[in-house]
Amino acid sequence: MRTTSRTRVGAVAVAAATALFAAACGSSDSTSTSPSATPSQQQQETGSTGLSQAKATVDASLVNPSGILLDTALSKKPPTGKYVITVETPLPVTKVRDDALVEAAKVFGWRYERIVPGSGPEDYGNALTQAISKHPDAIHISGTPLSLLKTQLDQAKAQNIPVLSESVGGAFDSPVISNSLDGDAQVAAWGKMVASYVVVNSGGKANVALFTIKAFPILGVFVDSFKSTLSSTCPACSVKEVNQQLADLGTKTPSSVVSTIQQDPKINWAIFSFGDLSLGVDAALKGAGLNGKVNVGGETPSPANLAALKDGTESVWTGFSAPILGWRVADMMARHFNGDDLAAADKVLLPTQLITKDNVSSVPLDSTGYYIGFPGYQDAFKKLWQAQ
């Protein structure tokens, strides 16, 4: 899991309001006797404009990425022999990311280690303390809000150990060198993409149950972006946010989804702020006789979600390239070791797209079913790293 990019979402609302204002000014003057639009007419006009905006976003998001997007080369080959540690969040997708990071570290000739904490509330912080005690040249962390790691980050700062934070977002300070990767801007973009797809494919008549875990602030960025986009592009649509606990994954969440839909039969979309949160939901919907009545989708899909797209039991997910994210982590550390400006890399998002039941067979996946994004990513990075 993951300054916020709400301005990207807010631009949709501003554009819609500007278009409506311009249309009103162009159709009347000081002598016009035309009656003012009724609230119902205004809602229809806003809905029509919003639907067009949503369709433009969807059309642009269905295309397979043609590269890694990052095009700023390193100033030089980074020093070899660096010792880097990842404190790995215990989720399947983070192992995929860090397996890729192992490959990237080998290109640089770095010594790489990962520490996998338990699932208890103090375990991640304890694992970070362990990493600091090894005195590495840099530490990579992800998922856990920085506010919960203040003690450990202060220790890292005191020992001049740079920390790269990823999949967290929010404000940061030294010793954290960056938190842009899979951060606020990326997650906000996914929220906009998914909401736009929902608007278009519901014909502007979506009633959404949005499932998330509020304990992870980065997921709130997706929720806020989704809700803002839905509100600005589809005045007739509705969204109900349903909070879950991390321990609910695959246990209580499937029944929560079923009961939410049973309590409000108008709900026709179930959206999840990350793929693993939907574990067991398809089976629960089928058991309750609700399969086919609710469209399922969200961000950062698991292989099971992509398989469900192929089966036609789910509708839409955003592509999350864990392998490219792993190489981007190595790239960011290399820039830091070189003394290069990180700004150019900070502002570049991961290659992504909307994956649907119509295009899932043509998007790049690895042998285990994870989304790759761009199959030639290793060579593209090596070119930027002067390592070919």
Side-chain angles (χ1 to χ4, degrees):
M1 292 170 294
R2 324 249 188 289
T3 77
T4 191
S5 183
R6 286 179 178 80
T7 52
R8 177 192 299 269
V9 177
V12 177
V14 172
T18 302
L20 287 174
F21 179 76
C25 291
S27 62
S28 62
D29 55 34
S30 60
T31 62
S32 173
T33 58
S34 299
S36 300
T38 66
S40 177
Q41 289 173 324
Q42 290 175 344
Q43 187 181 60
Q44 290 175 358
E45 291 172 0
T46 303
S48 177
T49 302
L51 191 61
S52 297
Q53 293 173 338
K55 188 176 186 305
T57 297
V58 170
D59 289 345
S61 301
L62 289 171
V63 182
N64 288 6
S66 58
I68 61 173
L69 303 186
L70 183 66
D71 59 8
T72 302
L74 299 182
S75 62
K76 59 185 178 181
K77 293 182 67 173
T80 60
K82 292 294 186 180
Y83 176 29
V84 175
I85 298 177
T86 286
V87 182
E88 184 176 273
T89 307
L91 292 171
V93 70
T94 58
K95 183 179 184 304
V96 175
R97 176 202 63 202
D98 295 337
D99 286 347
L101 183 47
V102 169
E103 297 177 350
K106 287 179 180 178
V107 174
F108 291 133
W110 294 348
R111 175 187 169 199
Y112 178 75
E113 180 182 354
R114 57 180 127 184
I115 298 174
V116 183
S119 58
E122 307 295 330
D123 289 344
Y124 197 90
N126 292 337
L128 180 52
T129 298
Q130 180 184 352
I132 293 168
S133 72
K134 292 174 177 285
H135 307 290
D137 293 294
I139 296 174
H140 162 227
I141 62 175
S142 68
T144 300
L146 299 180
S147 61
L148 301 180
L149 301 172
K150 186 179 184 306
T151 298
Q152 291 82 4
L153 292 175
D154 286 345
Q155 293 171 350
K157 182 177 181 179
Q159 297 184 35
N160 295 315
I161 301 173
V163 176
L164 177 61
S165 170
E166 163 259 304
S167 300
V168 175
F172 69 95
D173 200 355
S174 176
V176 176
I177 60 173
S178 174
N179 73 340
S180 65
L181 297 178
D182 191 24
D184 291 328
Q186 181 75 69
V187 177
W190 283 328
K192 178 180 178 179
M193 290 162 60
V194 175
S196 297
Y197 185 88
V198 169
V199 170
V200 171
N201 284 270
S202 68
K205 299 178 181 179
N207 295 293
V208 182
L210 177 52
F211 297 88
T212 189
I213 298 179
K214 292 183 178 180
F216 294 99
I218 191 66
L219 300 182
V221 176
F222 174 82
V223 170
D224 289 346
S225 177
F226 181 96
K227 291 166 71 173
S228 178
T229 302
L230 200 74
S231 174
S232 64
T233 59
C234 185
C237 294
S238 68
V239 58
K240 176 181 181 180
E241 185 178 344
V242 186
N243 186 45
Q244 303 292 293
Q245 304 299 319
L246 185 59
D248 295 343
L249 269 68
T251 56
K252 297 180 180 179
T253 294
S255 59
S256 174
V257 174
V258 169
S259 62
T260 299
I261 296 169
Q262 289 175 333
Q263 291 168 15
D264 186 356
K266 296 192 303 296
I267 291 173
N268 52 9
W269 286 85
I271 298 297
F272 298 86
S273 60
F274 66 102
D276 287 335
L277 188 56
S278 68
L279 180 66
V281 168
D282 282 344
L285 291 174
K286 183 177 181 180
L290 296 172
N291 57 313
K293 297 182 180 180
V294 179
N295 298 281
V296 174
E299 64 157 337
T300 60
S302 68
N305 296 128
L306 299 181
L309 287 180
K310 292 181 180 180
D311 294 339
T313 56
E314 296 182 7
S315 298
V316 62
W317 291 89
T318 57
F320 173 62
S321 178
I324 289 180
L325 177 57
W327 282 62
R328 284 290 303 272
V329 169
D331 174 89
M332 197 71 81
M333 287 185 171
R335 293 173 193 274
H336 173 75
F337 292 144
N338 275 354
D340 295 346
D341 188 354
L342 302 186
D346 276 331
K347 64 185 179 182
V348 178
L349 303 185
L350 298 170
T352 188
Q353 66 187 112
L354 284 173
I355 310 175
T356 72
K357 54 189 176 184
D358 295 324
N359 72 353
V360 64
S361 296
S362 63
V363 302
L365 307 178
D366 68 14
S367 60
T368 62
Y370 277 100
Y371 178 76
I372 297 175
F374 177 63
Y377 68 90
Q378 296 101 326
D379 288 339
F381 277 107
K382 289 176 183 178
K383 182 177 181 181
L384 292 182
W385 297 346
Q386 305 176 46
Q388 287 184 319

